[in-house]
Amino acid sequence: MKSFDYQTSVTQLKKMAYAYYVLDDPIATDEEYDLLYHQVKKYESDHPHIIDPTSPTQRVGDTPLKEFEKNTHLQRMWSLDDIFNTQELKEWVDRILKAYPQSSFVCSPKFDGASLNLCYENGILSTATTRGDGQIGELVTQNARTIHSIPLSIPLQEKIEIRGEVVINKQNFESLNAQRAQNGENLFANPRNAAAGSLRQLDSQIVAQRKLNFIPWGVGYHTSKHTSFFGLVNEIFSYGFFKPPFIKHCKSIDEIQACYQEILNNRDQYPVMLDGMVIVVDEIPTQRSLGFTIKSPRFACAYKFPAIEKSSKIRSITLQVGRTGIITPVAELDPVEIEGAMISRATLHNFSEIAKKDIRIGDQVIIIRSGDVIPKIIKPLSALRKGDETPIVRPTQCPICQSELLIEEKFIKCQNLTCPARIQESLAHFVSKKALNIDGLGGKIIEQLYSQKLIQTIEDLYSLKKEDLLALEGWKEKKAQNALDGIQATKGVELWRLINALGIEHIGEGASKKLQNAFGLEVFNQNKENFLSLDGFGEEMAESFSEFISVNSEKIKRLLEIISPTCPAKSSDSSHWLYGKSVVLTGTMSQDRESIKTYLESLGAKVSSSVSKKTDYVIYGENAGSKLEKARELGVECLSEGELNRKI
């Protein structure tokens, strides 16, 4: 391998790894990376005396440790004081400004993970140490080297401690717990515990499989001449570290509060768990003057979010029957407050999940709540069991209609199409936003109309009379008219909405649009083979749709006559600049989001909900948040709503 240029190859391999693991924007295929990686590894095997310690091949240690050594931080790692509301924020900021009125602040997300202190000497990563007691932590350098967002070398030659958070994203956390459940291992309670537990693995090859990420948030010992903390951390990001999707320089309490609200509003869109926002005085000389209390810096604090993880006790189990007949077990809990809401129920998904996690009635369990969706139970606290907990038994009869249930590997299903619970859920889905989107009708109203026997089928919606509605409790002229107007407005609706509204198993919004685009109004006259020819349609989807048509042909015929759905002409102008482009919408627009989405799709665009390296355009309105920030970081073209309209 005399012609092999080792250093050039290592440099190229580093660039490929950085683009893939840190920027999430690969510059090479997996095959190209693997080929170069093995060429470098072969060369190093033949020439062990000249191995570059920063080579990507050196990230995984070979020998598991017996225990971790202790290591002393060059400068103490402090804990942050917490504040929880606007009054406490005002008091904290006022205390700073009273002594230093020209102070400004840096705001960034507070990531929920495990703190880690990296020490670089002569540009090379020398040690990685956990927080420990703030003065002495555990030496986990071998594990840190497996984390691709931790550079093995940086361009700064002076000694520096770079501090940050080791995190695992939500998707990888779910996958990790699923694998542990499959293997009969204890589950991690949350992503923070998963990150901390992974970082303390004695076998670094296990750590390498956990897909951890390191996000810098500050420094310890350093000799930098920077006077601005904002300038210093941005320089650190330029060394090859992952840059947070949101970090801002603020000059007033109003700007700080606006940052907090923006991060809070978008917390569920972040791929990793956040538990608040960090506020740091920007002026480094002022930081030094303010100093520290016995445990915390006076120049920084954590503005915490409302808690989203709590524990509670399972009192009983309720069985819910969905529109497809799937039985979902729901835990009835001792009420507990999460994010300002009193939570007394949490989904248990299915009985296989219950068995894997060994959840019992009477267990104290850990609950998490993400956004406004129903909370879910992560794991039981089995160590707290007293012996009177009882197993959760799989039902054999439908709790509503008492018919015998179909027992499958994961799911238990009521097969009775006339089951009242199935009918009611189907009606609620039919009028929902992503289906027929009927204003004035929601789940509670459907429940009332069904219980009063005004509607028993979808077709009954179109036979409702004003006098029937006015006879009901809580109904007045305006409410009744709005509901009837909403029902009439569905006539002539786009075909995909009707398909989606039918609630066919495995057929959602995306599949409904594909069916409309492929077959138009003839969609219900196709066979299974035709559906299988569609991109993304597998055996299960094609079988489900064709079987539904076969069983419900008369029902479909009546609905088509009543609603008369339409198929807008599909854009055939492949030369249009939006044709085939991936577009993401964010912020408050002058029109409702759904109308803009429909219009863009009519031009041939593919509207997505999240920003990635594959996104072509981000269209933004007022108060655009993290999606716009991420798009700019990835170099995605961003257009305001006005710019979009002018360009079209």
Side-chain angles (χ1 to χ4, degrees):
M1 296 185 66
K2 291 182 179 179
S3 61
F4 184 76
D5 189 335
Y6 174 66
Q7 281 302 332
T8 300
S9 298
V10 168
T11 301
Q12 181 62 18
L13 205 58
K14 287 181 188 177
K15 288 179 181 177
M16 289 178 176
Y18 177 74
Y20 184 89
Y21 291 105
V22 180
L23 299 182
D24 193 25
D25 188 15
I27 59 174
T29 64
D30 290 351
E31 184 180 13
E32 289 170 335
Y33 180 86
D34 290 341
L35 177 63
L36 185 57
Y37 183 96
H38 286 99
Q39 287 177 346
V40 168
K41 193 171 183 180
K42 173 68 168 61
Y43 186 90
E44 290 170 344
S45 176
D46 294 340
H47 306 82
H49 57 289
I50 60 167
I51 293 177
D52 183 341
T54 69
S55 167
T57 65
Q58 303 303 299
R59 283 196 173 272
V60 182
D62 295 322
T63 308
L65 301 172
K66 292 183 179 179
E67 62 180 8
F68 291 114
E69 296 177 18
K70 300 295 184 182
N71 191 43
T72 302
H73 303 302
L74 299 179
Q75 283 192 3
R76 180 172 175 175
M77 288 186 77
W78 303 85
S79 298
L80 295 179
D81 281 336
D82 296 332
I83 59 174
F84 294 93
N85 52 54
T86 51
Q87 180 58 36
E88 292 180 4
L89 171 65
K90 185 177 184 305
E91 291 170 1
W92 187 83
V93 171
D94 285 347
R95 192 161 56 245
I96 303 289
L97 296 180
K98 184 176 180 180
Y100 301 93
Q102 302 305 313
S103 295
S104 58
F105 305 87
V106 179
C107 296
S108 61
K110 185 176 184 298
F111 297 96
D112 199 9
S115 295
L116 187 65
N117 185 31
L118 307 176
C119 183
Y120 288 85
E121 298 183 71
N122 300 314
I124 303 296
L125 176 65
S126 59
T127 61
T129 312
T130 62
R131 178 193 293 276
D133 64 4
Q135 294 178 317
I136 299 174
E138 292 180 316
L139 202 60
V140 292
T141 313
Q142 186 166 299
N143 289 347
R145 291 173 66 87
T146 71
I147 302 173
H148 286 270
S149 50
I150 295 179
L152 299 180
S153 64
I154 60 175
L156 184 73
Q157 293 302 301
E158 291 81 15
K159 183 183 289 188
I160 186 172
E161 287 180 311
I162 296 175
R163 289 163 176 180
E165 210 73 4
V166 174
V167 297
I168 184 170
N169 73 35
K170 299 171 190 174
Q171 185 177 346
N172 289 335
F173 167 70
E174 295 285 353
S175 299
L176 176 59
N177 255 359
Q179 185 61 51
R180 292 176 72 83
Q182 192 73 34
N183 297 338
E185 300 172 293
N186 290 332
L187 304 183
F188 288 115
N190 51 47
R192 179 185 65 253
N193 287 358
S198 299
L199 194 59
R200 297 190 69 258
Q201 286 285 329
L202 293 171
D203 187 345
S204 60
Q205 295 196 37
I206 295 177
V207 185
Q209 297 167 10
R210 295 283 172 88
K211 298 181 180 179
L212 301 176
N213 195 8
F214 176 83
I215 305 176
W217 46 249
V219 295
Y221 173 85
H222 67 100
T223 58
S224 168
K225 300 295 189 260
H226 272 285
T227 58
S228 163
F229 178 75
F230 188 67
L232 176 57
V233 292
N234 274 292
E235 181 176 311
I236 287 169
F237 297 145
S238 73
Y239 293 161
F241 289 95
F242 179 90
K243 183 177 181 179
F246 181 105
I247 181 167
K248 288 190 177 178
H249 185 230
C250 299
K251 297 183 179 179
S252 70
I253 192 169
D254 289 340
E255 290 183 5
I256 293 173
Q257 186 61 41
C259 286
Y260 175 82
Q261 200 58 50
E262 183 174 352
I263 295 175
L264 179 59
N265 290 344
N266 291 286
R267 68 187 296 188
D268 294 317
Q269 296 177 28
Y270 283 83
V272 299
M273 295 286 284
L274 307 180
D275 61 354
M277 181 178 80
V278 176
I279 310 170
V280 182
V281 172
D282 183 50
E283 293 75 19
I284 292 176
T286 302
Q287 289 185 9
R288 295 193 181 108
S289 298
L290 285 165
F292 304 83
T293 67
I294 194 169
K295 67 182 185 69
S296 307
R298 292 191 176 94
F299 55 83
C301 69
Y303 192 173
K304 298 299 286 289
F305 291 153
I308 62 170
E309 178 186 299
K310 293 279 182 78
S311 68
S312 184
K313 188 174 185 177
I314 299 179
R315 290 298 180 185
S316 62
I317 300 298
T318 297
L319 301 176
Q320 288 187 340
V321 184
R323 57 186 166 83
T324 62
I326 297 293
I327 309 289
T328 302
V330 176
E332 304 293 343
L333 308 162
D334 283 341
V336 61
E337 184 180 350
I338 304 180
E339 285 190 300
M342 290 305 297
I343 303 302
S344 57
R345 315 181 84 215
T347 180
L348 287 165
H349 299 291
N350 57 61
F351 288 91
S352 294
E353 192 81 359
I354 291 171
K356 274 185 184 178
K357 295 180 178 179
D358 187 24
I359 298 171
R360 306 175 189 179
I361 296 171
D363 269 340
Q364 198 75 16
V365 292
I366 290 176
I367 312 155
I368 65 167
R369 179 173 184 254
S370 178
D372 297 323
V373 300
I374 187 169
K376 63 180 179 179
I377 290 171
I378 294 297
K379 63 180 287 186
L381 298 172
S382 51
L384 301 180
R385 285 177 178 161
K386 298 176 181 177
D388 58 352
E389 296 80 12
T390 57
I392 298 170
V393 181
R394 292 174 184 251
T396 57
Q397 289 182 308
C398 174
I400 306 300
C401 69
Q402 305 307 313
S403 61
E404 188 175 346
L405 298 174
L406 172 67
I407 311 295
E408 296 180 333
E409 184 180 350
K410 277 192 176 182
F411 299 110
I412 297 176
K413 189 174 182 180
C414 173
Q415 299 264 72
N416 180 11
L417 291 174
T418 62
C419 175
R422 291 192 64 174
I423 294 170
Q424 196 169 303
E425 287 291 328
S426 296
L427 288 166
H429 174 72
F430 190 83
V431 304
S432 64
K433 186 175 181 180
K434 288 291 187 181
L436 267 285
N437 192 23
I438 302 179
D439 288 335
L441 294 183
K444 293 292 184 185
I445 291 177
I446 289 294
E447 184 179 342
Q448 182 187 27
L449 296 176
Y450 184 80
S451 66
Q452 294 298 313
K453 301 193 183 305
L454 288 179
I455 57 171
Q456 299 294 297
T457 67
I458 290 170
E459 298 95 302
D460 291 342
L461 283 167
Y462 295 89
S463 301
L464 284 173
K465 296 180 175 59
K466 188 184 290 187
E467 53 267 30
D468 295 333
L469 299 177
L470 291 174
L472 299 175
E473 182 182 349
W475 286 78
K476 295 191 181 304
E477 178 77 23
K478 186 176 181 181
K479 181 177 179 179
Q481 191 58 53
N482 285 344
L484 293 174
D485 289 346
I487 293 168
Q488 288 303 309
T490 65
K491 294 185 177 181
V493 74
E494 276 197 71
L495 175 64
W496 74 263
R497 283 191 171 277
L498 174 58
I499 298 172
N500 194 33
L502 292 172
I504 305 165
E505 199 163 2
H506 307 304
I507 305 297
E509 180 185 349
S512 299
K513 288 178 177 176
K514 278 187 180 179
L515 288 164
Q516 172 184 291
N517 291 338
F519 306 113
L521 294 172
E522 292 297 312
V523 66
F524 297 113
N525 297 323
Q526 308 300 315
N527 57 33
K528 179 181 173 181
E529 286 66 34
N530 292 339
F531 301 138
L532 282 170
S533 69
L534 295 180
D535 182 36
F537 263 65
E539 181 76 24
E540 205 171 39
M541 292 172 71
E543 177 67 31
S544 177
F545 193 64
S546 58
E547 184 182 350
F548 185 90
I549 294 171
S550 174
V551 172
N552 299 281
S553 57
E554 288 302 314
K555 181 187 188 77
I556 292 169
K557 184 178 178 181
R558 289 195 301 274
L559 285 174
L560 288 172
E561 289 171 353
I562 294 169
I563 297 172
S564 298
T566 57
C567 275
K570 192 170 58 171
S571 174
S572 58
D573 182 10
S574 59
S575 64
H576 193 284
W577 63 276
L578 275 174
Y579 188 87
K581 300 297 184 182
S582 174
V583 178
V584 172
L585 302 174
T586 185
T588 305
M589 309 282 191
S590 61
Q591 303 177 59
D592 68 276
R593 187 80 62 83
E594 198 61 37
S595 297
I596 297 173
K597 179 182 176 183
T598 301
Y599 176 60
L600 293 175
E601 286 176 338
S602 74
L603 297 174
K606 300 172 186 175
V607 181
S608 174
S609 60
S610 59
V611 178
S612 72
K613 57 185 180 296
K614 295 180 180 178
T615 303
D616 295 299
Y617 297 100
V618 166
I619 312 301
Y620 63 92
E622 295 180 5
N623 303 315
S626 59
K627 290 183 183 179
L628 183 59
E629 294 272 349
K630 183 176 181 180
R632 285 173 172 161
E633 288 172 9
L634 293 175
V636 174
E637 186 170 350
C638 302
L639 301 172
S640 68
E641 185 183 6
E643 289 171 332
L644 169 70
N645 292 335
R646 286 192 293 274
K647 191 165 182 179
I648 288 177

